[in-house]
């Protein structure tokens, strides 16, 4: 079959196996072009390893530092009927590239929130790696079943306290719109903390400790986001912000515990805002990202996932000295939050309207990144070519 992007209500519903493989290869080339990461991690577990920041971290650890990696993700497999999710094909492409390079890699496709997957992964660490020295927690999920109670929780992206009206863009129609979102209920706010807060991260550390697989000096990092005031009502002061505060507090508890146990540490890294699967439907955030891309590309400081994580590895986690912290956190969003970048965005925010949208915002860059997340629009890929059943089921 010939695969074209299927976009409904600003969500992309399919993926292209050949494009996904090409995008993984591009990220590997980038990391290689930067040379080896000196004194980098050796045995790495990435939870949420198939797309976005988690995939980039796995690539940087393996192809930059030569690490053995285990990845956990939850993806839909492809079949002769149609493509699976992008993360399914990304993972196959990663495993194949690692094998070619002689790098150990093992990938689990299952629910990272479950006790079963934690047991399988810790057993695999024992068997194949002995211990792990770096664990990355990069899950982004709308739903979590509590393994102890069996209760299922759903996260929501809503403001707290009062409704929030914000300018947004519809990148596909090239329109500015004003959206109003009603505030979350207390239950929705608590459920979002259950899904995206630090509880499951701590359960992973418990499982690794109980299995006796924490290496001396073990480090674990979870990813978070803060962003500018203009998105606060929706992000940082909203339901997801509460969950991220919980994640950040968990880092402090875990760090104290790991220091005593193995001389280790837990960090949160504040990463840059990038286009994700949900970006095009989040009010304010979509407009902010397209303005951010415009300004940072002009400044020459724009980065994607792989550039961010490569910098995280080389200049923060494995720089050879203590991990630089700002307010207790790693800030790799420093270029995004630079006062010059933010003041330009604030000025553009008030001016942007339906007539000047394509001049003031990087709508094209937003669309490109959005499609590339699912393997579409990757340079060098022939999108008119038939994709056979074998490729749909097993990747390239
Ligand atoms: P993503 O959607 O690209 O990746 C999420 C990963 O989690 C995928 O590998 C997916 O398979 C996995 N996953 C989801 N549910 C799972 C489950 N139940 N079991 C196992 N795996 C599961 O997300 P992303 O944008 O890379 O975000 C990762 C982290 O980085 C999040 O904590 C996010 O808040 C943070 N972050 C993102 C941005 C951004 O702009 N994208 C910015 C800063 C921080």
């Amino acid at each position: 079959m010939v695969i074209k992007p299927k976009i409904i209500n600003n969500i992309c519903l399919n993926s292209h196996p050949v494009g996904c493989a090409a995008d993984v290869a591009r990220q590997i080339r980038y990391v290689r072009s930067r040379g080896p990461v000196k004194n980098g991690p050796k045995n790495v577990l990435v939870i949420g390893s198939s797309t976005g920041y988690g995939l980039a971290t796995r690539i940087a650890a393996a192809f930059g530092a030569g690490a053995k990696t285990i990845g956990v993700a939850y993806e839909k497999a492809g079949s002769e009927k149609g493509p699976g999710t992008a993360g399914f094909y990304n993972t196959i492409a990663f495993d194949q590239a690692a094998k070619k390079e002689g790098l150990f890699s093992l990938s689990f496709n299952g629910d990272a929130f479950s006790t079963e997957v934690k047991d399988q992964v810790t057993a695999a660490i024992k068997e194949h790696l002995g211990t792990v020295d770096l664990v990355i927690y990069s899950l982004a999920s709308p739903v979590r079943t509590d393994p102890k109670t069996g209760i299922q929780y759903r996260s929501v992206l809503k403001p707290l306290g009062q409704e929030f009206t914000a300018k947004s863009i519809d990148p596909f129609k090239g329109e500015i719109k004003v959206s109003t979102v009603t505030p979350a209920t207390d239950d929705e706010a608590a459920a979002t903390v259950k899904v995206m807060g630090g509880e499951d991260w701590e359960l992973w550390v418990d499982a690794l400790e109980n299995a006796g697989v924490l290496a001396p000096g073990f480090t674990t990092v979870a990813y978070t986001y803060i962003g500018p005031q203009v998105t606060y009502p929706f992000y940082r002061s909203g339901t997801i912000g509460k969950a991220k505060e919980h994640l950040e507090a968990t880092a402090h508890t875990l760090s104290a515990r790991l220091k005593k146990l193995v001389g280790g540490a837990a960090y949160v890294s504040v990463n840059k805002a990038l286009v994700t699967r949900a970006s095009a439907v989040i009010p304010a955030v979509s407009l902010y990202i397209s303005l951010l891309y415009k300004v940072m590309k002009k400044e020459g400081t724009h980065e994607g996932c792989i550039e961010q994580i490569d910098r995280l590895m080389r200049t923060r986690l494995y720089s050879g000295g203590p991990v630089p912290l700002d307010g207790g956190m790693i800030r790799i969003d420093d270029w995004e939050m630079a006062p010059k970048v933010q003041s330009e965005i604030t000025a553009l925010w008030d001016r942007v309207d339906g007539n000047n949208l394509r001049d003031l915002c990087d709508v094209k860059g937003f669309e490109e990144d959005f499609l590339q997340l699912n393997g579409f629009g990757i340079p060098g890929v022939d999108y008119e070519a038939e994709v056979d059943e074998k490729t749909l089921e097993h990747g390239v």
Side-chain angles (χ1 to χ4, degrees), residues 45 47 70-74 108-125 204 207:
L45 166 65
I47 303 157
I70 293 184
V72 186
Y74 209 8
F108 288 84
N109 190 4
D111 182 6
F113 295 127
S114 71
T115 307
E116 292 77 10
V117 166
K118 289 185 178 74
D119 289 345
Q120 287 167 19
V121 171
T122 48
I125 292 171
W204 269 101

Side-chain angles (χ1 to χ4, degrees), residues 16-29 86 89-94 96-97 375 378 381 391 395-396:
H16 199 289
V18 183
C20 289
D23 197 46
V24 170
R26 173 193 65 84
Q27 296 192 53
I28 293 173
R29 277 197 306 276
Y89 296 115
N90 292 341
T91 302
I92 293 173
F94 175 88
Q96 283 179 354
I378 309 285
V381 175
T391 307
V396 179

Side-chain angles (χ1 to χ4, degrees), residues 3-165:
I3 309 173
K4 300 281 170 183
K6 199 196 281 175
I7 298 169
I8 297 179
N9 294 333
N10 291 0
I11 301 278
C12 185
L13 298 176
N14 62 348
S15 74
H16 199 289
V18 183
C20 289
D23 197 46
V24 170
R26 173 193 65 84
Q27 296 192 53
I28 293 173
R29 277 197 306 276
Y30 176 78
V31 169
R32 281 219 184 103
S33 76
R34 306 267 299 125
V37 176
K38 294 191 193 89
N39 303 314
K42 294 190 170 47
N43 295 331
V44 179
L45 166 65
V46 181
I47 303 157
S49 58
S50 60
T51 53
Y53 277 118
L55 173 66
T57 314
R58 196 175 186 194
I59 290 173
F63 293 91
K68 298 177 181 176
T69 64
I70 293 184
V72 186
Y74 209 8
E75 300 292 345
K76 183 175 151 264
S79 73
E80 77 285 353
K81 292 200 189 104
T85 48
F88 173 73
Y89 296 115
N90 292 341
T91 302
I92 293 173
F94 175 88
D95 282 334
Q96 283 179 354
K99 198 172 164 196
K100 245 193 207 163
E101 192 76 12
L103 291 164
F104 175 88
S105 83
L106 183 64
S107 301
F108 288 84
N109 190 4
D111 182 6
F113 295 127
S114 71
T115 307
E116 292 77 10
V117 166
K118 289 185 178 74
D119 289 345
Q120 287 167 19
V121 171
T122 48
I125 292 171
K126 256 190 173 165
E127 184 184 344
H128 299 288
L129 309 181
T131 57
V132 275
D133 48 81
L134 177 66
V135 170
I136 298 293
Y137 192 79
S138 186
L139 289 186
S141 173
V143 54
R144 171 177 172 228
T145 301
D146 184 315
K148 291 188 182 119
T149 61
I151 297 172
Q152 195 183 67
Y153 295 91
R154 288 202 164 269
S155 64
V156 296
L157 275 163
K158 288 188 178 180
L160 290 172
Q162 57 194 43
E163 69 176 26
F164 171 49
T165 299

Side-chain angles (χ1 to χ4, degrees), residues 47-55 72-75 87 91 108-114 117 137-144 196 222-226 235 240 244 247 269-277 279 289 305 308 336 373:
I47 303 157
S49 58
S50 60
T51 53
Y53 277 118
L55 173 66
V72 186
Y74 209 8
E75 300 292 345
T91 302
F108 288 84
N109 190 4
D111 182 6
F113 295 127
S114 71
V117 166
Y137 192 79
S138 186
L139 289 186
S141 173
V143 54
R144 171 177 172 228
M196 288 296 286
Y223 295 144
T224 192
Y225 183 66
I226 295 178
Y235 196 95
I240 186 73
K244 291 299 189 187
L247 187 80
S269 171
V270 190
N271 296 354
K272 178 196 180 195
L274 287 170
V275 174
T276 61
R277 284 177 281 190
S279 300
I289 289 179
C305 283
Q308 273 270 292
E336 168 182 352
L373 290 175

Side-chain angles (χ1 to χ4, degrees), residues 125-367:
I125 292 171
K126 256 190 173 165
E127 184 184 344
H128 299 288
L129 309 181
T131 57
V132 275
D133 48 81
L134 177 66
V135 170
I136 298 293
Y137 192 79
S138 186
L139 289 186
S141 173
V143 54
R144 171 177 172 228
T145 301
D146 184 315
K148 291 188 182 119
T149 61
I151 297 172
Q152 195 183 67
Y153 295 91
R154 288 202 164 269
S155 64
V156 296
L157 275 163
K158 288 188 178 180
L160 290 172
Q162 57 194 43
E163 69 176 26
F164 171 49
T165 299
K167 258 189 199 176
S168 295
I169 61 163
D170 183 325
F172 302 101
K173 292 193 186 131
E175 288 172 359
I176 285 276
K177 51 185 190 179
V178 174
S179 323
T180 299
V181 186
T182 51
T185 62
D186 290 348
D187 283 352
E188 284 176 322
T192 306
V193 174
K194 268 288 209 186
V195 180
M196 288 296 286
E199 192 175 272
D200 180 63
W201 185 23
E202 193 160 1
L203 288 176
W204 269 101
V205 173
D206 292 346
L208 295 163
E209 185 195 344
N210 292 338
V213 297
L214 299 175
F218 168 85
T219 300
T220 182
V221 184
Y223 295 144
T224 192
Y225 183 66
I226 295 178
Q229 290 280 350
V230 73
T231 61
Y232 264 31
F234 201 78
Y235 196 95
R236 195 64 198 179
S237 315
T239 49
I240 186 73
K242 282 277 157 273
K244 291 299 189 187
E245 277 171 19
H246 187 270
L247 187 80
E248 289 149 23
T250 305
H252 291 292
T253 336
L254 284 179
S255 223
R257 187 173 137 198
L258 289 167
K259 195 173 171 196
K260 272 196 203 140
L261 265 176
V262 286
Y267 302 105
V268 282
S269 171
V270 190
N271 296 354
K272 178 196 180 195
L274 287 170
V275 174
T276 61
R277 284 177 281 190
S279 300
V281 292
I282 310 178
V285 171
S286 55
L287 176 58
Y288 171 71
I289 289 179
S290 49
L291 288 171
L292 179 74
Y293 276 29
K294 183 79 175 187
V295 173
M296 291 188 82
K297 283 180 185 176
K298 191 185 76 183
E299 293 284 313
T301 54
H302 177 72
E303 297 173 301
C305 283
I306 195 67
E307 291 84 1
Q308 273 270 292
I309 297 300
D310 186 78
R311 196 155 66 88
L312 172 69
M313 290 271 178
R314 293 172 201 270
T315 67
R316 304 295 200 270
L317 292 174
Y318 301 100
S319 67
V323 175
L325 300 178
D326 181 349
M329 295 185 274
I330 298 173
R331 300 298 299 252
I332 207 75
D333 65 337
D334 48 350
W335 296 353
E336 168 182 352
M337 299 313 291
K340 185 162 184 280
V341 169
Q342 289 301 320
S343 66
E344 275 195 52
I345 293 174
T346 309
L348 292 171
W349 188 277
D350 294 330
R351 280 177 52 207
V352 70
D353 61 29
N355 298 320
N356 58 24
L357 177 70
R358 289 199 178 264
D359 295 329
L360 301 190
C361 302
D362 186 14
V363 179
K364 191 166 160 276
F366 191 111
E367 279 170 346

